Amino acid sequence: MKYFKDCPEPGMGTWYFETDRQGVAYRQLVIEDDGKWIASNRKDEHYHFMLSEKPIETSEPGLIPITQEEFEEAWSASLHTRNAQWQSLKSLHPPGLKIEGSIEAFFPQGTLVTLTDTGAVGLADTRELELSGQPAWMYPGHVVQAVVKGYDEANQWIVLDQAAVLERRTDPNPKESSN
């Protein structure tokens, strides 16, 4: 993995990226000038799950290579702001628990699922979901059923197993509501 930071313009804060060799972002963090943390591992009220959708051009002016330690220090500080909530969510989602949620986003690590009862973020294997249902169901809003397998501590995600995507949606189907 490679690590970078950027301060794009005054007032835009400091941006941190963890990328693979092709520039695909796996984790992204913005520390705004007012101290607000926007991290790719959790949903933000304005930016949803903010992670670059296209590879980061590592030769871009202003992008500064940093060490993994510098990235992890910033990332850990972000995680620390939610540690009490994370511990509570883990206690509510023991391994083996059957859950339901809805697809939120597709990341390199897998499919992010917001768990219905608690709002926790679950991580499902995208390929497993694709094999479980119709391609037309692989969109945000479709319901996922799964079993808690464990925890991704680096992202504070609930790791899901035996995941299946259903035709049922948590929101009205835009195609159906426009008819």
Side-chain angles (χ1 to χ4, degrees):
M1 296 298 230
K2 296 180 176 185
Y3 302 89
F4 303 92
K5 75 177 178 181
D6 190 8
C7 300
E9 294 177 21
M12 289 186 66
T14 303
W15 295 56
Y16 293 84
F17 302 94
E18 175 186 60
T19 71
D20 65 11
R21 291 179 185 211
Q22 291 76 39
V24 174
Y26 277 71
R27 293 187 288 173
Q28 181 174 324
L29 174 67
V30 178
I31 304 173
E32 294 189 331
D33 292 340
D34 65 1
K36 179 181 177 186
W37 303 79
I38 304 170
S40 60
N41 66 320
R42 61 181 178 260
K43 190 173 183 176
D44 181 80
E45 62 184 278
H46 295 106
Y47 301 104
H48 200 252
F49 284 95
M50 188 170 79
L51 185 68
S52 180
E53 293 179 1
K54 62 180 184 171
I56 304 296
E57 182 54 56
T58 58
S59 63
E60 183 177 311
L63 200 59
I64 303 163
I66 60 173
T67 64
Q68 179 179 359
E69 291 75 22
E70 184 176 348
F71 178 88
E72 295 295 348
E73 184 178 316
W75 188 259
S76 292
S78 170
L79 293 179
H80 183 71
T81 65
R82 297 185 67 244
N83 198 45
Q85 180 184 16
W86 172 236
Q87 296 308 319
S88 174
L89 289 171
K90 286 195 315 185
S91 70
L92 295 171
H93 300 92
L97 179 70
K98 292 180 181 181
I99 62 87
E100 191 168 281
S102 62
I103 294 175
E104 284 284 349
F106 301 95
F107 274 21
Q109 299 94 324
T111 301
L112 299 186
V113 176
T114 297
L115 305 187
T116 303
D117 293 339
T118 62
V121 179
L123 177 68
D125 181 286
T126 300
R127 185 73 181 131
E128 184 176 44
L129 286 175
E130 289 171 341
L131 293 172
S132 73
Q134 301 294 320
W137 302 347
M138 288 296 294
Y139 287 95
H142 276 273
V143 172
V144 169
Q145 291 179 335
V147 173
V148 173
K149 179 179 181 179
Y151 313 104
D152 176 339
E153 295 291 343
N155 289 295
Q156 295 181 338
W157 292 335
I158 308 294
V159 178
L160 306 176
D161 194 22
Q162 303 170 34
V165 63
L166 307 179
E167 180 177 15
R168 184 166 40 100
R169 297 176 57 88
T170 57
D171 57 347
N173 187 329
K175 292 178 185 175
E176 293 173 1
S177 62
S178 63
N179 291 337

